[in-house]
């Protein structure tokens, strides 16, 4: 992996430029609006640096943001990041997070991002690498 960050942030983030896409993995125990905004900010900065056309985000945060209002806030603030024009596949390793992630996808897509949420890593990769 290219870079690992941790410390007081409450999560670890790994970046790997895989040629056709940028791979990102986020790990930690808890999620919050602050944590999500922080890691999406880091992803945006890395995308500004590397200018990938495709982005695969794998999240492994054991406890998800609880409220729909918080999910809406995070998803709508991603809109302000440097992610426009990038095809984004998001895979959450926690199956019980899927329904809330689908709501986040709807918000982000309504803001103009090309993002899809997946509960299957292979399906996420297939979509990411497809021409659609």
């Amino acid at each position: 992996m290219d870079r690992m960050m941790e410390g007081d942030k409450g999560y670890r983030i790994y970046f790997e430029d895989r040629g056709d896409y940028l791979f990102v993995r986020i790990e930690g125990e808890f999620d919050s609006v602050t944590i999500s905004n922080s890691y999406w900010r880091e992803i945006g900065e890395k995308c500004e640096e590397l200018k990938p056309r495709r982005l695969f985000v794998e999240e492994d945060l054991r406890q998800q943001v609880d409220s729909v209002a918080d999910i809406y806030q995070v998803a709508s603030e991603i809109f302000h990041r440097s992610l426009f024009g990038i095809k984004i596949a998001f895979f959450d390793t926690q199956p019980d997070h899927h329904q809330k992630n689908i709501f986040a996808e709807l918000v982000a897509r309504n803001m103009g991002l090309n993002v899809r949420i997946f509960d299957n890593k292979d399906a996420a990769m297939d979509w990411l690498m497809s021409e659609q």
Side-chain angles (χ1 to χ4, degrees):
M1 297 282 172
D2 180 50
R3 178 173 80 169
M4 183 179 100
M5 307 286 285
E6 54 183 320
D8 296 335
K9 297 186 300 186
Y11 64 92
R12 292 169 305 283
I13 188 166
Y14 306 86
F15 293 95
E16 185 178 341
D17 185 347
R18 294 187 175 174
D20 290 337
Y21 65 98
L22 176 62
F23 175 81
V24 181
R25 180 169 168 86
I26 301 101
E27 298 175 350
E29 290 300 316
F30 304 100
D31 200 358
S32 69
V33 171
T34 301
I35 286 172
S36 288
N37 283 335
S38 180
Y39 80 68
W40 280 110
R41 183 180 58 253
E42 289 189 60
I43 292 169
E45 290 169 358
K46 194 66 162 178
C47 287
E48 285 179 10
E49 175 188 335
L50 297 178
K51 309 273 191 258
R53 291 182 2 172
R54 295 182 177 103
L55 174 64
F56 189 102
V57 178
E58 180 174 304
E59 183 188 88
D60 186 10
L61 297 173
R62 309 291 184 297
Q63 184 178 20
Q64 189 178 35
V65 174
D66 284 329
S67 81
V68 173
D70 287 346
I71 292 168
Y72 179 84
Q73 181 181 349
V74 170
S76 63
E77 289 181 13
I78 293 169
F79 172 76
H80 301 290
R81 308 284 189 255
S82 302
L83 301 175
F84 285 103
I86 300 174
K87 188 175 186 180
I88 305 165
F90 184 92
F91 168 68
D92 193 325
T93 63
Q94 306 297 317
D96 58 319
H97 297 180
H98 189 68
Q99 287 306 312
K100 289 182 180 175
N101 287 335
I102 291 296
F103 175 70
E105 174 189 313
L106 176 66
V107 173
R109 289 177 68 82
N110 284 339
M111 298 286 184
L113 293 179
N114 184 13
V115 61
R116 291 273 313 270
I117 302 296
F118 294 90
D119 59 0
N120 177 290
K121 192 171 185 175
D122 291 334
M125 185 57 65
D126 289 346
W127 176 80
L128 184 67
M129 301 311 290
S130 74
E131 292 304 318
Q132 60 186 41

